[in-house]
Structures are given as structure tokens and as C-alpha cells.
Amino acid sequence: TRDALVAASKLAGLSRVVLLESAVAGAFAASLELSELAQCQKLGVYELGGRSFSFSVLQRTGGGGGADAAAEWEVVTAQREVLLGSEAFDAAVVEHLVDGFQQEQGIDLSADHLALQRLHEATESAKLELCKEAAASISLPFITADASGPKHLETTLSRAKFESLIEPTLKRTSPIVAAVLSEAGLTKDDLHAVLLLGGSARLAAVEAHAQSLFEGRPTLRTDRPEEAVALGAAAYAQRLQALE
């Protein structure tokens, strides 16, 4: 995959290609925004994306000349698990809505692809709303129909219920964190801070779970955790250009 990225970049006319680990890019962006990272030497990066989860341990580098001067962090060890991310949150909520609708209306929406698409879209909107509010309304008129006429899905998803639905997915991240720390020969107390990356870092349940995993360690995130990796990569490229 990395070779393909390099080849594609060169075909696009890029004269220089540097592949940056997402955890390093995110940490680079956070270092520009969060003063708390100024004295941090060992950093845990808890990254919950749409379709994957990764945990990395980063070590601050001394920085040498050339490109090394731009590389503030290096990966000590990391592990990524695919199909473990915010899409799993959505799937759990959709399953909950399908079960509730079947109990209420006696109709199973799980085989209706159009209904499932609408449910996923509504779940995404509700998830965003729950970042700020205690409950989110889900209204899907004409979600399906039977012999008696059209059926509508109207319900409210509380933050507490949402958090209970995503808790099993969050718990699956815990052994990955433990394995990475063990491989690095570290404990959570050896980390100076933990950085949360990915859009799911906005969710109170994700932050609370990270705090429980790294009790006593500061858990940090940027104002736009979903964009931190891209912003860090851009800032890194800009610094490389300045060094040339």
C-alpha cells in the first residue's frame, strides 16, 4: 500500500513524498495547538476513526538536521484494528432502532435497504447532536408501509441509551491499548498524556472511556479532532519546505 501511494504521488507530479503515520501527524497538529504537550516526552494516541481503531505510543525526538528537524515524534509501537470504529457505533444504534420498530409495528426493516440507508443517515445526525445535547429526536416519516398504509418512525435517543449501546465497542479497544503498552514495556503511568484523535473524540463516552483506561493521565484533544491528522500532515509538509 505504501509503495502504491508513493508511485501514485510521483505520477501526480510530486517531487518528494514523505509518508507520515496518522498518529504522528495528529500529534504534530496537537503540538501546535495544545501547550500541554510542550513538556510531553511519551504520548499515547487513542485514534478512533470511522472503520478502525488504533493506539500508538509516541516518543518525542531530539530532532537532527533536514527532515529530522521537522519530525517531533516517532512511533515506539502501535496496533490497529479494522472494523472497530464509529461505524460500529452507528450499527449498534441502527440495530436498536430496527428492534424497536419491529416491536412497535411488527415490521422488520433489516431487509429494506432504503430504510436502512435512512436509518444510518438519521443515526449519524443523532450522534452529532448527542455531542452537545442530552437527547436527540429521530423522525423518519414513511419509513415503510404495509397493507394498512404508510408507517413512520418517531423516537428519541437519549445520550445515556446511546452510551450503553456503544459501550461494547469501546470495551473492545481496551485490550489493544494493553497490548501496545506491554509491547513497549510501559504502563499507563509512563505516559505523560493521551491524545484523542478522530471525530468520535467529541463524544463524552469516548473521552470518559479513555480517562478510565488512563486514570491519572491527562486526556487531550484539539478543537477539531476529526481534522487533526490532515492538518498535522499539512503543517509537517510546510515545515519541510521551510527547511529546504
Side-chain angles (χ1 to χ4, degrees), residues 173-237:
T173 69
S174 301
I176 298 172
V177 169
V180 170
L181 289 174
S182 177
E183 184 178 346
L186 302 172
T187 70
K188 63 178 180 62
D189 295 329
D190 294 314
L191 302 176
H192 296 101
V194 176
L195 177 65
L196 307 182
L197 293 180
S200 294
R202 294 183 179 274
L203 295 172
V206 172
E207 184 174 7
H209 183 72
Q211 288 173 341
S212 70
L213 283 177
F214 306 100
E215 186 177 2
R217 303 293 89 191
T219 52
L220 311 171
R221 68 172 175 84
T222 62
D223 285 339
R224 294 181 288 177
E226 68 278 7
E227 299 177 1
V229 172
L231 291 173
Y236 183 84

Side-chain angles (χ1 to χ4, degrees), residues 57-185:
V57 173
L58 306 186
Q59 172 76 46
R60 188 182 292 277
T61 66
D68 289 340
E72 295 184 4
W73 302 95
E74 63 180 2
V75 178
V76 177
T77 187
Q79 185 173 325
R80 181 177 298 274
E81 182 75 19
V82 297
L83 303 181
L84 175 58
S86 61
E87 287 189 8
F89 296 168
D90 297 349
V93 175
V94 168
E95 183 179 356
H96 166 70
L97 295 174
V98 167
D99 289 345
F101 191 81
Q102 185 166 21
Q103 291 176 14
E104 181 180 339
Q105 301 288 348
I107 300 175
D108 182 8
L109 297 176
S110 63
D112 187 332
H113 297 298
L114 180 58
L116 287 176
Q117 180 180 342
R118 294 181 65 191
L119 285 168
H120 275 280
E121 291 171 352
T123 295
E124 182 67 24
S125 297
K127 187 171 61 176
L128 294 174
E129 188 175 351
L130 290 172
C131 290
K132 299 179 180 179
E133 306 295 338
S137 297
I138 297 176
S139 177
L140 294 172
F142 304 99
I143 188 69
T144 190
D146 62 8
S148 64
K151 302 296 179 182
H152 316 297
L153 190 153
E154 301 282 346
T155 189
T156 297
L157 181 65
S158 69
R159 182 185 291 177
K161 182 60 179 179
F162 172 72
E163 291 179 351
S164 71
L165 290 171
I166 69 173
E167 183 180 8
T169 299
L170 287 176
K171 285 184 174 179
R172 289 172 57 197
T173 69
S174 301
I176 298 172
V177 169
V180 170
L181 289 174
S182 177
E183 184 178 346

